[in-house]
Amino acid sequence: MDPSWYLRRLSRMGPAEIAGRVTDVVRKRQWRAVAGEKAAWLPDRRFAPVPGDEVLAAVSGEAVKDLLVTADRLMEGRAEYFGVERDDLVDPDWSFDPKTGRRAPSDVYSFDIPYRSEEAVGDIKQIWEPSRHQHLTVLAAAYALTGEERYAERVAAHLKSWWAANPPMRGVHWVSGIELGIRLLSWVWVRRLLDGWPSAAALFEDNPVALNQIWHHQRWLAAFPSRGSSANNHVIAEDAGQLAAACAFGWFPESPRWRDAALASLDKMLGHNTFDSGINRELATEYHGLVLELGLAGALEAKAAGVAVPESTWLVLLRMTDALASLVDDRLRPPRQGDADDGFGLIVDGDETSRWASLLDTGSVLFGRLDWWPETPGGDVRTQLFSALAKDIQVGARRPVRRRDDFADAGMTILREGGIWCRCDGGPHGFLSIAAHAHADALSVEVRHDGVDILADPGTYCYHGEPKWRSYFRSTAGHNTLELGGRDQSVSGGPFLWTRHAVTTVISAGTPSRWSAEHDGYAPAVHRRSVELEGSGLRILDEVRGGESQPCRLAFHFGPAVEVALSGGTATLSWTVDGQERKASLELPPELRWSAHRGETTPPLGWYSAGFGRREPAWTVLGAGTAADGATFTTTLTFESGNEDPPL
């Protein structure tokens, strides 16, 4: 980051946060000496509980098969991280970035490393991700389900390698709390899943190296919590990892203090990060999934250890689960909103297992399935393992008697008709003063048919290292909404920082087929949008109120499965789902000049990111013209007769 970014970042902090961060800077200087300190542990270091045979037997054959495909690929040293294929994971270099070919320094005091600099360390996410050790939880789960010691032996080899290569406070793996928290959670589950292996105790509770690493991780998290404008999903990961480790690895004199502090913070921060409706306040759906996974893992670990978890913690997790059940489309896919970096709290399933179906299945076990919830395949590994820690948690809360379509506090409305699913965005720009994971997407729409992206949210693609792509994927022009004056609705101050937030007001919502909202991001002009879904047709009306005449662009982005033929003001759409060809037409406002774009790079236009680090060409149609006070633009999306029927 350039110095001006830090000044803008500082301007978004309050006095208490600034004081806390100054304290952190001083403490980080002092911690050079801490790295050499050795842990003291208790003589009684037992580990419990473990999943019983009946729990493992409840995992479906399909889930086991999927898990073993992924585990065997890992045993061959192969995996994909953020679009980069690796084949060097039999004996990994934990500081190597295969994307840039760079290697981060591994024998430098951690807080001296400019880890955000790709020139200095490479792509830090490529380095951090394998060190979350979630590939080891997959291998440990494969051992638990098969008893094959080769999986356990590989887990042990990787842990010993990592511990040797990353002593406390050396290298890049000791600079970010979210990484330490998730890594601790992985270690808890690795130990649990390896319990039947004769060398498990020698690897963990009887191993001074492991004990020292676990102690230093927890001491770090207690010293450097995320605070203020950074108290988003990071603080949940820190709390969940600290809580799980302090309960499962309660082997240190400090363990009760760490446990109690983490439980209190997790309870507070889950509430802080979640709307009353159950939607995550970052309004970035994948972080909803991450926070839910982390919260469940931490709270369940505490309950299994006999710790009284506040009902308020379970209430937030229940509301998040019910909200997820309401949001998903016919194929159990939630909205694609805001940032997404493929982050998971705990991975014990194969690559093909749906995290969203798994979370709903876990919710069924813990809280009870409601009649209106969508059907799920069931039988995934994680749900069964979580069920070994707790079942049938009673929460004194009134739950929705039917699927919700409007979440007023989050500004999210879902319109549905047959196989048509439409998300309308009328919510806050983002969470906290920096809105780190927000996109400039006010009043955007996202439309699917039978689970296929038609009008798509293009996604995220990257965070660091490629600024033009980061800017594109979170820009106004990169979403299905109106741009005025050639600028975004909200003002970016750089990566993970917005210095001005558009304010959106929902005018009408809550009815099955109509929604209307407006925002002030182009003040004095106001952009108002109304959406109506009726039968097989969707009508979008954009209005500009106030302000002077200025250039405008109206964008519609399509999913990668959709072919687009643009003729004048009509875009003919076609795609195939379940072997059937489907079609639709998009009648575009004649007041604008329309052009079609796909896979362009200067500047970027016509792209879709299915996951972090991955992008592929997809069609975008762009209307250009001018808009003054009173300008209106009407767009109509019509699906061919019969398309409204769900697939067999």
Side-chain angles (χ1 to χ4, degrees):
M1 306 293 186
D2 63 78
S4 64
W5 182 89
Y6 289 97
L7 291 174
R8 291 190 295 271
R9 181 70 177 82
L10 185 66
S11 72
R12 308 302 293 176
M13 300 180 192
E17 181 178 357
I18 292 173
R21 288 180 180 271
V22 170
T23 301
D24 287 347
V25 169
V26 174
R27 187 180 291 121
K28 287 175 181 179
R29 291 180 180 273
Q30 297 170 338
W31 265 51
R32 292 178 188 274
V34 169
E37 296 183 12
K38 300 296 183 182
W41 46 82
L42 303 174
D44 182 10
R45 299 186 301 279
R46 291 172 293 177
F47 185 88
V50 297
D53 291 340
E54 71 282 358
V55 171
L56 298 175
V59 178
S60 72
E62 191 64 29
V64 173
K65 179 181 177 182
D66 182 29
L67 170 67
L68 295 182
V69 167
T70 301
D72 288 340
R73 189 166 181 262
L74 289 168
M75 290 295 291
E76 295 170 358
R78 297 186 296 126
E80 179 193 319
Y81 294 108
F82 310 132
V84 177
E85 292 283 348
R86 296 190 65 163
D87 59 5
D88 60 341
L89 296 178
V90 169
D91 183 17
D93 179 343
W94 301 105
S95 297
F96 177 67
D97 166 28
K99 179 180 173 183
T100 64
R102 295 187 177 95
R103 189 177 188 279
S106 59
D107 194 27
V108 175
Y109 180 59
S110 299
F111 292 134
D112 285 345
I113 300 173
Y115 68 93
R116 292 188 178 98
S117 168
E118 193 166 288
E119 290 297 320
V121 304
D123 185 331
I124 191 61
K125 285 187 67 64
Q126 288 288 343
I127 298 172
W128 276 346
E129 196 69 15
S131 287
R132 291 186 171 187
H133 290 171
Q134 293 177 325
H135 70 294
L136 300 186
T137 52
V138 169
L139 292 174
Y143 166 77
L145 287 162
T146 67
E148 294 186 27
E149 293 197 358
R150 63 191 180 101
Y151 297 119
E153 290 166 354
R154 178 62 57 78
V155 171
H158 277 206
L159 285 175
K160 292 175 182 177
S161 167
W162 195 92
W163 290 332
N166 297 278
M169 304 311 300
R170 310 301 289 181
V172 295
H173 297 301
W174 292 88
V175 296
S176 175
I178 188 174
E179 304 305 316
L180 277 74
I182 291 177
R183 191 155 53 240
L184 278 177
L185 191 58
S186 294
W187 291 353
V188 167
W189 277 94
V190 164
R191 175 60 186 88
R192 175 168 291 124
L193 293 165
L194 294 186
D195 193 69
W197 186 48
S199 299
L203 180 62
F204 279 94
E205 56 263 38
D206 296 335
N207 181 0
V209 175
L211 291 166
N212 202 50
Q213 284 274 351
I214 293 167
W215 181 78
H216 270 284
H217 272 66
Q218 293 184 86
R219 192 179 184 193
W220 193 108
L221 290 173
F224 300 108
S226 293
R227 62 178 81 244
S229 56
S230 294
N232 54 12
N233 64 87
H234 284 234
V235 78
I236 304 296
E238 295 160 10
D239 290 340
Q242 180 81 300
L243 178 58
C247 290
F249 300 147
W251 303 332
F252 309 96
E254 302 93 339
S255 294
R257 173 166 53 86
W258 289 337
R259 179 198 65 210
D260 294 347
L263 179 59
S265 181
L266 181 65
D267 178 62
K268 176 183 177 181
M269 289 301 171
L270 278 173
H272 183 57
N273 276 260
T274 310
F275 287 110
D276 289 343
S277 64
I279 302 294
N280 179 259
R281 286 184 181 271
E282 292 197 75
L283 295 173
T285 312
E286 282 211 4
Y287 287 104
H288 182 106
L290 175 63
V291 167
L292 180 53
E293 289 167 356
L294 291 166
L296 288 170
L300 288 170
E301 202 69 50
K303 184 171 178 60
V307 177
V309 178
E311 186 178 39
S312 51
T313 296
W314 297 119
L315 178 60
V316 172
L317 297 172
L318 166 63
R319 286 174 173 166
M320 292 184 74
T321 308
D322 279 338
L324 177 62
S326 285
L327 291 176
V328 295
D329 64 20
D330 294 344
R331 310 231 169 181
L332 302 180
R333 296 176 59 224
R336 285 167 52 89
Q337 182 181 18
D339 273 348
D341 71 347
D342 300 352
F344 283 76
L346 175 68
I347 303 178
V348 288
D349 281 279
D351 293 338
E352 299 304 313
T353 299
S354 165
R355 77 182 302 180
W356 311 108
S358 173
L359 283 169
L360 292 178
D361 286 335
T362 297
S364 295
V365 170
L366 297 182
F367 308 121
R369 183 184 185 278
L370 298 176
D371 291 341
W372 55 264
W373 275 26
E375 295 294 333
T376 59
D380 66 287
V381 180
R382 187 174 61 190
T383 292
Q384 304 308 319
L385 295 178
F386 275 172
S387 73
L389 301 184
K391 292 182 180 179
D392 302 324
I393 295 170
Q394 300 301 311
V395 183
R398 183 179 179 182
R399 298 178 66 185
V401 296
R402 62 181 63 86
R403 184 184 62 204
R404 294 186 62 177
D405 293 318
D406 181 54
F407 297 83
D409 50 6
M412 186 183 299
T413 299
I414 308 293
L415 307 180
R416 300 176 192 259
E417 182 75 30
I420 304 172
W421 176 99
C422 173
R423 173 181 66 87
C424 303
D425 182 356
H429 174 62
F431 182 46
L432 301 174
S433 62
I434 62 173
H437 291 295
H439 290 188
D441 57 357
L443 308 193
S444 64
V445 296
E446 185 182 1
V447 180
R448 298 177 191 159
H449 192 280
D450 295 338
V452 176
D453 290 316
I454 307 302
L455 296 181
D457 184 302
T460 298
Y461 176 58
C462 67
Y463 283 167
H464 298 289
E466 300 179 82
K468 80 169 184 177
W469 291 103
R470 176 67 169 151
S471 295
Y472 169 70
F473 275 100
R474 65 179 192 155
S475 69
T476 296
H479 294 83
N480 299 315
T481 188
L482 181 70
E483 176 197 83
L484 292 180
R487 57 192 175 97
D488 289 336
Q489 312 148 333
S490 294
V491 178
S492 171
F496 308 109
L497 174 62
W498 295 89
T499 56
R500 183 186 182 281
H501 304 180
V503 176
T504 302
T505 302
V506 175
I507 299 166
S508 174
T511 63
S513 60
R514 292 178 178 83
W515 172 88
S516 180
E518 63 185 24
H519 74 82
D520 68 353
Y522 303 121
V526 171
H527 172 209
R528 175 175 290 188
R529 169 169 279 186
S530 302
V531 180
E532 181 177 359
L533 174 61
E534 184 174 356
S536 61
L538 184 80
R539 180 177 176 269
I540 302 170
L541 173 63
D542 289 296
E543 303 173 75
V544 177
R545 301 188 173 195
E548 298 178 351
S549 178
Q550 57 187 315
C552 71
R553 294 194 300 175
L554 180 59
F556 292 106
H557 303 267
F558 301 92
V562 178
E563 289 297 326
V564 177
L566 179 64
S567 177
T570 300
T572 301
L573 318 178
S574 60
W575 66 99
T576 301
V577 58
D578 295 332
Q580 299 182 12
E581 184 176 357
R582 303 295 180 92
K583 291 186 177 181
S585 65
L586 189 68
E587 296 295 331
L588 300 161
E591 296 85 357
L592 303 176
R593 303 180 305 277
W594 290 93
S595 55
H597 308 264
R598 188 173 188 272
E600 298 175 10
T601 59
T602 51
L605 189 59
W607 295 92
Y608 179 95
S609 175
F612 197 84
R614 292 173 285 158
R615 68 174 190 260
E616 59 185 303
W619 286 105
T620 293
V621 296
L622 193 64
T626 58
D629 180 22
T632 61
F633 307 106
T634 301
T635 306
T636 304
L637 173 64
T638 305
F639 293 93
E640 269 196 358
S641 177
N643 280 2
E644 65 271 22
D645 296 327
L648 298 177

